Amino acid sequence: MRKISTLLAVLLFCSAFSACKVMSNKEYKRLLARQDSLNTGLSGAQLSNESLENRISKLRKDTADLNGKLSDLRERYADMDDKYTKLRNNSSTEISKLSTDLKKREQRLKEVEEVLRKRDEATNQLKEKLQQALLGFTKSGLTVEIKNGKVYVSLTDKLLFPSGSIIIDEKGRQALTQLAAVLKEQPEINIAVEGHTDTQKVNNLGQIKDNWDLSVLRSTSVVRFLTETGKVESVRMTATGKGEFQPLESNASADGRSRNRRIEIVLSPKLDELYDLIKQ
């Protein structure tokens, strides 16, 4: 249809001017190709125009956001300026008192920051020691990582217990023995042992009624081993059972359920010094 329209346009043009010569087929095809090229260029220009409009729209939105932030900053500045004016109008004694209090707060903040720096440094050192001590068990499902300023030693159930059991097997005893050796060298570390399960129902396990029971009893089994065999101070230990309610992955697959069945030993530095500073 487009070719017919083009041909009609050419014929009309030729009929209007007697000097027009009959167009060759080659020339006609060249004109059609030229028209296609122009149409392609027009489409590209339209797309480019749409892109520019989108960018302009985004720039306008960004400008509006920046204007909002600028307005907020102006309000905050006005508030600070008002406070400064009031402070300047106070007596020199009051200003001196405020300055002294500010210096004390700054000093306390520096002390707190130093305590936190030491805590982070101790946490990283502990992680490195545990990784070195437990290196031989990483292929059996043991991991060591830092989360929220604490060291998490995660051991899959297959590393510690036979299926459905709360009795630690030989390989698990070896791993916990090496873990206990490191923990005894870190008296300023609190130790929380958490038992976790998957969502599979517990069947035919005697006194173990459900996943809550299984997670708690496995946790206490680890605590007993660390304190009685590993000689870690009992006062530093806490045993808890989380059941199936804090999974790492979906329980829809066998691999996910395997990762969810685990013991997590959470190691956190004692922060008595930090608490004392905060109370002050």
Side-chain angles (χ1 to χ4, degrees):
M1 187 67 182
R2 186 179 59 188
K3 292 183 178 180
I4 293 173
S5 299
T6 304
L7 181 57
L8 286 174
V10 174
L11 290 174
L12 288 173
F13 176 80
C14 289
S15 65
F17 299 94
S18 58
C20 181
K21 295 181 180 179
V22 177
M23 183 181 296
S24 67
N25 186 52
K26 180 178 181 182
E27 182 65 16
Y28 170 70
K29 290 182 177 178
R30 186 185 68 78
L31 287 174
L32 286 180
R34 177 61 175 167
Q35 184 184 23
D36 289 341
S37 175
L38 290 173
N39 287 336
T40 301
L42 177 60
S43 297
Q46 290 173 338
L47 290 174
S48 178
N49 185 53
E50 290 178 2
S51 175
L52 286 173
E53 289 178 351
N54 290 335
R55 291 176 64 186
I56 290 172
S57 176
K58 183 178 183 302
L59 286 172
R60 285 174 178 167
K61 182 180 180 300
D62 291 346
T63 300
D65 292 342
L66 289 173
N67 285 334
K69 293 179 180 178
L70 178 60
S71 177
D72 180 61
L73 287 172
R74 284 172 176 166
E75 290 179 2
R76 292 169 62 185
Y77 173 79
D79 181 61
M80 291 177 64
D81 186 58
D82 182 59
K83 290 179 179 178
Y84 172 73
T85 301
K86 292 178 180 178
L87 178 63
R88 187 176 56 186
N89 293 333
N90 286 336
S91 66
S92 59
T93 302
E94 184 66 18
I95 293 175
S96 177
K97 180 177 181 298
L98 288 172
S99 177
T100 301
D101 289 344
L102 180 60
K103 289 180 180 179
K104 288 181 179 179
R105 290 175 182 272
E106 290 176 347
Q107 180 60 34
R108 190 166 301 163
L109 177 60
K110 289 180 180 180
E111 292 172 355
V112 170
E113 289 175 343
E114 178 63 16
V115 171
L116 292 175
R117 186 193 66 78
K118 290 179 179 179
R119 183 206 66 176
D120 291 340
E121 184 178 278
T123 300
N124 287 322
Q125 290 177 353
L126 176 60
K127 177 189 174 184
E128 292 176 3
K129 288 181 179 180
L130 289 170
Q131 285 178 326
Q132 293 175 1
L134 303 171
L135 183 62
F137 300 96
T138 55
K139 292 183 179 180
S140 300
L142 183 147
T143 60
V144 182
E145 59 182 336
I146 294 177
K147 293 187 292 187
N148 302 321
K150 301 176 182 179
V151 178
Y152 282 71
V153 181
S154 182
L155 307 96
T156 58
D157 68 332
K158 63 183 179 182
L159 175 59
L160 294 174
F161 304 99
S163 178
S165 174
I166 62 173
I167 299 174
I168 302 171
D169 62 20
E170 182 56 34
K171 193 167 188 178
R173 293 170 68 88
Q174 293 175 10
L176 292 177
T177 297
Q178 295 192 38
L179 174 63
V182 176
L183 296 180
K184 284 191 293 185
E185 298 175 354
Q186 307 290 328
E188 296 303 314
I189 299 296
N190 288 320
I191 306 160
V193 180
E194 299 177 354
H196 298 266
T197 70
D198 58 21
T199 55
Q200 299 292 309
K201 291 184 178 180
V202 172
N203 294 315
N204 300 322
L205 292 182
Q207 78 275 22
I208 302 174
K209 298 178 181 179
D210 52 27
N211 282 324
W212 278 117
D213 273 355
L214 182 59
S215 65
V216 171
L217 291 173
R218 282 183 167 180
S219 174
T220 54
S221 291
V222 171
V223 167
R224 287 194 185 95
F225 182 88
L226 290 175
T227 55
E228 295 174 3
T229 303
K231 304 303 179 184
V232 179
E233 293 177 299
S234 300
V235 70
R236 299 165 55 195
M237 305 289 296
T238 303
T240 59
K242 303 291 186 176
E244 63 198 61
F245 301 104
Q246 291 187 8
L248 295 176
E249 295 185 6
S250 169
N251 283 292
S253 67
D255 288 341
R257 291 192 296 273
S258 178
R259 284 207 64 196
N260 292 335
R261 297 191 303 269
R262 67 196 188 280
I263 289 289
E264 284 191 342
I265 301 175
V266 185
L267 310 175
S268 54
K270 294 180 181 178
L271 299 177
D272 296 342
E273 183 180 357
L274 179 59
Y275 295 148
D276 290 341
L277 286 171
I278 293 174
K279 289 178 182 179
Q280 294 175 15

